Amino acid sequence: MRPSSSLFPAVLAGFVAVLVGYASSAAIIWQAAAAAGATPHQIAGWMTALGLGMGVSTLALSLWYKSPVLTAWSTPGAALLATSLQGVTLPETIGIFIFANALILLCGVTGLFAQLMKIIPHTLAAAMLAGVLLRFGLQAFINLEGHFLLCGSMLVAWLIAKAFAPRYAIVATLLVGSVTAWAGGDVVTDNLAFSLVMPEFIAPKFTFTTLVSIGLPFFLVTMASQNAPGFATMKASGYPVAVSPLIIFTGALALLFSPFGVYSICIAAITAAICQSPDAHPDADKRWMAAAAAGVFYLLAGIFGGSITALMAALPLSWIQTLAGLALLGTISGSLFQALLHETERDAAIVTFLVTASGVTLLGIGSAFWGLIAGGICFAVLSRFRRA
């Protein structure tokens, strides 16, 4: 097999991962920044800083560990900020970023988070990953209603390519979907323009009320709903990279660039699963190339951070969701297999899967965290009584 034939799917996986990451939550970040009173120019600078931060961290960590380590912003954290920053000044918002990222860095330095990740059973980590990804898999088929021609053509292309050239199934899906969307007039490029916007330094202001009422919940949500699933995804995919060094690196980088609008840099879960799947590369030891490619695309997205919203608006949402869902099917099936592999742990694993897939949010913390909690309780109780 020629190296180029293996490299192309890896590069494509990296591109799809970045596309899905931006498409799924870039708008939420704009809403959060706008709620804090940032101007459109400042928001564009934040997107530039975030893209560069994720690009540098993804590229550096993947090359250093030779593992598919992807970073991402905290989507649950952005959602929390979007609903909490009304009435908070921009300097106070930057103070919240610095406070939360400093706490994340402290978790890495002390090793507390690493100890927590060690006690999570592999079956529960796999079940949680499957639950997180389930809605993405469902979107590949739900969009048939209302977008039958576009999504139907993508599904047919995926099925045919999967039968005859499985490693290029997503390539075929992307190309057929692009042609169909363009021919159907679903790609709107009227407002699409590429520009470079430099991030703006904003001096922080620290107030006790905002740090306690927003900063602390933001820290907890980021750790529980983004970093924890991210490490669980790596564990379930067979990449048990040391936890504390990654938390220290990402936390320190986010802390350094907080005054420029980098509210978080975390370990990715959903987008990482795309680069950690067999479709990215048949050799698990070489899937880091997909993550490295994602790092390059992150950097490009950062350079043109001011154009991200226009680009996302130009692409049909159904096209993005269908592509993401089909790209994650292999990871979903593999995670379910691992989760249900051991009969004595199946009950706890299915509870983890269902709670995570439910999307329930309690105390501002997402379902991935509560899925692990519920499954962990079941695992502990059932294991105790079965031994007895």
Side-chain angles (χ1 to χ4, degrees), residues 158-345:
W158 176 84
L159 181 60
I160 294 174
K162 200 70 176 176
F164 295 99
R167 293 184 52 237
Y168 297 96
I170 297 302
V171 179
T173 305
L174 185 149
L175 293 176
V176 170
S178 299
V179 172
T180 305
W182 188 275
D186 294 327
V187 181
V188 181
T189 59
D190 296 343
N191 299 319
L192 188 60
F194 295 98
S195 59
L196 175 63
V197 179
M198 294 300 294
E200 176 184 332
F201 178 86
I202 301 172
K205 180 180 179 180
F206 302 96
T207 60
F208 180 78
T209 54
T210 57
L211 296 183
V212 173
S213 62
I214 303 176
L216 193 57
F218 172 62
F219 157 72
L220 294 174
V221 166
T222 298
M223 294 301 286
S225 299
Q226 186 65 55
N227 274 324
F231 282 106
T233 298
M234 292 189 65
K235 183 178 180 180
S237 300
Y239 300 100
V241 178
V243 173
S244 290
L246 267 63
I247 291 293
I248 292 172
F249 184 88
T250 55
L253 190 63
L255 180 61
L256 180 64
F257 289 104
S258 290
F260 298 95
V262 175
Y263 71 99
S264 71
I265 297 177
C266 307
I267 302 303
I270 295 168
T271 52
I274 295 174
C275 294
Q276 293 164 0
S277 72
D279 289 336
H281 200 286
D283 187 348
D285 292 332
K286 294 183 179 179
R287 290 173 196 161
W288 63 268
M289 293 190 296
V296 174
F297 286 118
Y298 270 139
L299 291 174
L300 292 175
I303 292 172
F304 297 105
S307 309
I308 293 300
T309 299
L311 179 61
M312 293 299 103
L315 296 168
L317 180 61
S318 57
W319 180 87
I320 295 170
Q321 291 177 339
T322 302
L323 183 67
L326 294 175
L328 289 168
L329 286 185
T331 303
I332 296 172
S333 61
S335 298
L336 284 173
F337 174 79
Q338 294 176 50
L340 304 177
L341 183 61
H342 301 291
E343 185 176 356
T344 57
E345 300 177 9

Side-chain angles (χ1 to χ4, degrees), residues 365-383:
I365 300 176
S367 60
F369 174 79
W370 296 116
L372 285 177
I373 294 296
I377 293 173
C378 291
F379 182 88
V381 171
L382 295 176
S383 297

